[in-house]
Amino acid sequence: MELLTNLTINGLATGMLIFLLAAGLTLIFGLMDVLNFAHGGLFAWGAYSSVWFYALTDSFVLAILGAILTGVILGFITEKLIIKPVYGNHVQQILITLGFMLVLTEMLKVVFGPNQIAVRTPENLVGSWEIGDVIIIKYRVFIIIVGFLVFGIFQYILKKTKIGLIVRAGVLNKEMVQTLGINIKNVFLYVFIAGASLAAIGGALFAPYSGVIYAEMGMEYAILGFIVVVIGGMGSFPGSLLAAILVGLVGSYMAYYVPSLSLAVNMIIMAIVLIFRPQGLFRAKG
Amino acid sequence: MTSKYQWNNIFLSIMVIALFIFPFVTDSRTWTILLTQIFIFSILAMSYDILLGYTGIVSFGHAMFFGMGAYTTAVMLDRIEPTIGVFVLSIATGMLITGIISFIVGLLTLRLKSHFFAMLTLALSGLFLVLAEKWRSVTSGNDGFTFRAPEFFKDRMMFYLVVLVCMVVVYFVLRRFVQSPLGHVLVAVRENEQRTKSLGYNTLHYKVIASVVAGVVASLAGSLYAISLRFVNTSVLTMDITLDALLMTIIGGVGTLIGPIIGAGVIELSQHFLSGLAKDYPIFERWIIFFGILYILVVIFFPSGIVGTIRQAFHKRKKQSVGKEEQSNSEEL
């Protein structure tokens, strides 16, 4: 029982981190038809900058805000300089975002040094609760709560506000939105920045969770993010949450029961989904 | 048109002859090794260009074919015996294995759209990397293993010449391939897949063929790479190899075969000199960042790379001069 609870909480926490990464990817793809291979770089930058801000201010809230700031700035730069020149050309988009990923990763090494950096958990989130004989680590619960909170906020924005309405309409039909007199290019920019900040928050939460950060983690988690986006259906926001939880749980159980398969299993799930149901398990709806 | 090809051929022959003579003139070990490395990566980049430049497919899984070739050669030379016969056999085996695997992978993945294909190949090559790390009895995982190269290759110069011959042969075979009717269909797929389909071509078949050819040639590059290091570990399967091929192809020029060779030369040489500079200026330890930026600039501003841009400039000048002549003619009239 204890084991199962722990594995589940662990899987949910990992799933939430992947969700934060994948949510941006799926929104950006749904709206802009751009698959951002540099998204993992934004995740890694979020992690590094939060650690930097935490060391500076000693406040985890400020650290997360700092990561969001980094995400906003990098998102703005990425959209304006990297994505904008190649709208509509898929091959060029893939190539250029991958190149930017390379630059982001190397820049991390230039700024923060090439070695791994150890991260400590914020003081008020250290420790665990004991319920009966089950030990629950506080920080993991915290990640799960934040994940659902972010999901709730974004779902609210998407469903209840005007900008959310425009985004949802844009996912379904860009040209129609434009004919209604809305400058969709601006909406693209906002969505991209929002997606980048989500990735940065994910990175910021990831740093104390794993206890160590390194430049290559961006690519590693981006692959999980892609898997989630594919399984959840490109452009589907709730789909990415469900798929992320699935990937997180499967990864967590597999890592314990069949460790040699744990990395492979998610890729196998994605391959099966892609081959038999290329549109993903969920569809983007209006 | 013929004269242009003749000039190309003459230029190429001079280059090849110069490269053949090179090791006899100088006995600089560094240069021999560096050039060998360039030739090996030229083969890899050319194979990548069959996919990217000629068929318009972005694959992020090219390293798996390279790695399979490297491992096949390393394992066979290590387990059987380090002779030329086994070496040749291992190259053939590697090509056969990659041929079969790229066929299966291609058949399953190439029907997907570009985004999904790129992601799936990324994931698949990750899968192969994990497999190699777990299958320690054969691959020794991340630690890798050293093996003895055939006696014949003990002399760096012999190996240099063999690799050079391989590169030239691959160049001509691939040139024949892309200039064949089949190659033209591939270009048609790149330009407009829908239209090629409506002309009655089963584009999936053609894309699978391109992927098999690219995979097999990459495996050859991998085999030679393993021999050049006399060591193999899982790094041959990592994303870095694919990135190298990508950078070389893009910077050199997509859709040409000379482009990847030039790209390989540019990147390997600058890498060599930039990491030499790193002793004095630490920023050059991260030399890849310059290539990343250069690569982004090339994708935005010169999507056809060094060779393509030079060719375009050449054509423009020709056209302009032709246009001017016509203009002056009409003025005379």
Side-chain angles (χ1 to χ4, degrees), chain A residues 122-135:
Chain A
E123 266 108 46
N124 35 5
L125 293 168
V126 180
S128 50
W129 293 298
E130 268 181 69
I131 303 169
D133 55 348
V134 183
I135 298 168

PDB file of all heavy atoms in Angstrom, chain A residues 122-135:
ATOM      1  N   PRO A 122      13.251  24.140  -0.998  1.00  0.00           N
ATOM      2  CA  PRO A 122      12.932  25.277  -0.132  1.00  0.00           C
ATOM      3  C   PRO A 122      12.520  24.795   1.264  1.00  0.00           C
ATOM      4  O   PRO A 122      11.834  23.782   1.382  1.00  0.00           O
ATOM      5  CB  PRO A 122      11.751  25.936  -0.836  1.00  0.00           C
ATOM      6  CG  PRO A 122      11.775  25.438  -2.216  1.00  0.00           C
ATOM      7  CD  PRO A 122      12.530  24.175  -2.251  1.00  0.00           C
ATOM      8  N   GLU A 123      12.932  25.564   2.303  1.00  0.00           N
ATOM      9  CA  GLU A 123      12.800  25.082   3.683  1.00  0.00           C
ATOM     10  C   GLU A 123      11.384  24.650   4.050  1.00  0.00           C
ATOM     11  O   GLU A 123      11.176  23.594   4.632  1.00  0.00           O
ATOM     12  CB  GLU A 123      13.251  26.164   4.673  1.00  0.00           C
ATOM     13  CG  GLU A 123      14.714  26.026   5.073  1.00  0.00           C
ATOM     14  CD  GLU A 123      15.565  27.110   4.457  1.00  0.00           C
ATOM     15  OE1 GLU A 123      15.148  28.273   4.517  1.00  0.00           O
ATOM     16  OE2 GLU A 123      16.635  26.800   3.902  1.00  0.00           O
ATOM     17  N   ASN A 124      10.396  25.489   3.713  1.00  0.00           N
ATOM     18  CA  ASN A 124       9.050  25.157   4.196  1.00  0.00           C
ATOM     19  C   ASN A 124       8.404  24.024   3.405  1.00  0.00           C
ATOM     20  O   ASN A 124       7.286  23.622   3.700  1.00  0.00           O
ATOM     21  CB  ASN A 124       8.140  26.391   4.198  1.00  0.00           C
ATOM     22  CG  ASN A 124       8.454  27.303   3.037  1.00  0.00           C
ATOM     23  OD1 ASN A 124       9.278  26.966   2.188  1.00  0.00           O
ATOM     24  ND2 ASN A 124       7.807  28.443   2.970  1.00  0.00           N
ATOM     25  N   LEU A 125       9.110  23.501   2.400  1.00  0.00           N
ATOM     26  CA  LEU A 125       8.553  22.370   1.656  1.00  0.00           C
ATOM     27  C   LEU A 125       9.358  21.102   1.883  1.00  0.00           C
ATOM     28  O   LEU A 125       9.085  20.060   1.297  1.00  0.00           O
ATOM     29  CB  LEU A 125       8.505  22.704   0.165  1.00  0.00           C
ATOM     30  CG  LEU A 125       7.518  23.804  -0.199  1.00  0.00           C
ATOM     31  CD1 LEU A 125       7.740  24.265  -1.616  1.00  0.00           C
ATOM     32  CD2 LEU A 125       6.092  23.319  -0.022  1.00  0.00           C
ATOM     33  N   VAL A 126      10.388  21.201   2.725  1.00  0.00           N
ATOM     34  CA  VAL A 126      11.177  20.001   3.039  1.00  0.00           C
ATOM     35  C   VAL A 126      10.352  19.079   3.922  1.00  0.00           C
ATOM     36  O   VAL A 126       9.447  19.524   4.627  1.00  0.00           O
ATOM     37  CB  VAL A 126      12.475  20.406   3.773  1.00  0.00           C
ATOM     38  CG1 VAL A 126      13.305  19.179   4.114  1.00  0.00           C
ATOM     39  CG2 VAL A 126      13.280  21.340   2.905  1.00  0.00           C
ATOM     40  N   GLY A 127      10.682  17.799   3.868  1.00  0.00           N
ATOM     41  CA  GLY A 127      10.089  16.881   4.822  1.00  0.00           C
ATOM     42  C   GLY A 127       8.908  16.138   4.266  1.00  0.00           C
ATOM     43  O   GLY A 127       8.632  16.192   3.061  1.00  0.00           O
ATOM     44  N   SER A 128       8.225  15.444   5.147  1.00  0.00           N
ATOM     45  CA  SER A 128       7.143  14.601   4.667  1.00  0.00           C
ATOM     46  C   SER A 128       6.085  14.445   5.758  1.00  0.00           C
ATOM     47  O   SER A 128       6.311  14.756   6.917  1.00  0.00           O
ATOM     48  CB  SER A 128       7.697  13.228   4.286  1.00  0.00           C
ATOM     49  OG  SER A 128       8.479  12.736   5.353  1.00  0.00           O
ATOM     50  N   TRP A 129       4.924  14.007   5.321  1.00  0.00           N
ATOM     51  CA  TRP A 129       3.856  13.685   6.268  1.00  0.00           C
ATOM     52  C   TRP A 129       3.811  12.188   6.446  1.00  0.00           C
ATOM     53  O   TRP A 129       4.070  11.435   5.509  1.00  0.00           O
ATOM     54  CB  TRP A 129       2.509  14.167   5.731  1.00  0.00           C
ATOM     55  CG  TRP A 129       2.383  15.636   5.660  1.00  0.00           C
ATOM     56  CD1 TRP A 129       2.438  16.521   6.693  1.00  0.00           C
ATOM     57  CD2 TRP A 129       2.173  16.418   4.483  1.00  0.00           C
ATOM     58  NE1 TRP A 129       2.275  17.793   6.232  1.00  0.00           N
ATOM     59  CE2 TRP A 129       2.112  17.765   4.879  1.00  0.00           C
ATOM     60  CE3 TRP A 129       2.025  16.104   3.126  1.00  0.00           C
ATOM     61  CZ2 TRP A 129       1.921  18.802   3.975  1.00  0.00           C
ATOM     62  CZ3 TRP A 129       1.830  17.129   2.235  1.00  0.00           C
ATOM     63  CH2 TRP A 129       1.780  18.468   2.662  1.00  0.00           C
ATOM     64  N   GLU A 130       3.407  11.750   7.656  1.00  0.00           N
ATOM     65  CA  GLU A 130       3.209  10.326   7.864  1.00  0.00           C
ATOM     66  C   GLU A 130       1.738  10.093   8.156  1.00  0.00           C
ATOM     67  O   GLU A 130       1.191  10.625   9.113  1.00  0.00           O
ATOM     68  CB  GLU A 130       4.049   9.837   9.033  1.00  0.00           C
ATOM     69  CG  GLU A 130       5.408   9.329   8.596  1.00  0.00           C
ATOM     70  CD  GLU A 130       6.228   8.833   9.756  1.00  0.00           C
ATOM     71  OE1 GLU A 130       5.856   7.787  10.322  1.00  0.00           O
ATOM     72  OE2 GLU A 130       7.212   9.492  10.102  1.00  0.00           O
ATOM     73  N   ILE A 131       1.103   9.351   7.287  1.00  0.00           N
ATOM     74  CA  ILE A 131      -0.305   9.004   7.524  1.00  0.00           C
ATOM     75  C   ILE A 131      -0.339   7.493   7.653  1.00  0.00           C
ATOM     76  O   ILE A 131      -0.164   6.769   6.674  1.00  0.00           O
ATOM     77  CB  ILE A 131      -1.191   9.469   6.358  1.00  0.00           C
ATOM     78  CG1 ILE A 131      -1.023  10.973   6.155  1.00  0.00           C
ATOM     79  CG2 ILE A 131      -2.645   9.104   6.618  1.00  0.00           C
ATOM     80  CD1 ILE A 131      -1.628  11.501   4.894  1.00  0.00           C
ATOM     81  N   GLY A 132      -0.559   7.025   8.869  1.00  0.00           N
ATOM     82  CA  GLY A 132      -0.449   5.587   9.111  1.00  0.00           C
ATOM     83  C   GLY A 132       1.003   5.180   8.842  1.00  0.00           C
ATOM     84  O   GLY A 132       1.923   5.778   9.376  1.00  0.00           O
ATOM     85  N   ASP A 133       1.203   4.200   7.964  1.00  0.00           N
ATOM     86  CA  ASP A 133       2.572   3.824   7.640  1.00  0.00           C
ATOM     87  C   ASP A 133       2.991   4.367   6.277  1.00  0.00           C
ATOM     88  O   ASP A 133       3.986   3.960   5.708  1.00  0.00           O
ATOM     89  CB  ASP A 133       2.735   2.296   7.710  1.00  0.00           C
ATOM     90  CG  ASP A 133       1.719   1.597   6.831  1.00  0.00           C
ATOM     91  OD1 ASP A 133       0.780   2.287   6.370  1.00  0.00           O
ATOM     92  OD2 ASP A 133       1.841   0.384   6.624  1.00  0.00           O
ATOM     93  N   VAL A 134       2.184   5.292   5.724  1.00  0.00           N
ATOM     94  CA  VAL A 134       2.498   5.855   4.422  1.00  0.00           C
ATOM     95  C   VAL A 134       3.230   7.185   4.601  1.00  0.00           C
ATOM     96  O   VAL A 134       2.747   8.064   5.321  1.00  0.00           O
ATOM     97  CB  VAL A 134       1.211   6.070   3.592  1.00  0.00           C
ATOM     98  CG1 VAL A 134       1.562   6.593   2.215  1.00  0.00           C
ATOM     99  CG2 VAL A 134       0.426   4.783   3.506  1.00  0.00           C
ATOM    100  N   ILE A 135       4.394   7.293   3.967  1.00  0.00           N
ATOM    101  CA  ILE A 135       5.145   8.543   4.054  1.00  0.00           C
ATOM    102  C   ILE A 135       4.954   9.320   2.759  1.00  0.00           C
ATOM    103  O   ILE A 135       5.172   8.793   1.665  1.00  0.00           O
ATOM    104  CB  ILE A 135       6.640   8.254   4.270  1.00  0.00           C
ATOM    105  CG1 ILE A 135       6.814   7.511   5.597  1.00  0.00           C
ATOM    106  CG2 ILE A 135       7.446   9.542   4.256  1.00  0.00           C
ATOM    107  CD1 ILE A 135       8.179   6.924   5.778  1.00  0.00           C
TER     108      ILE A 135
END
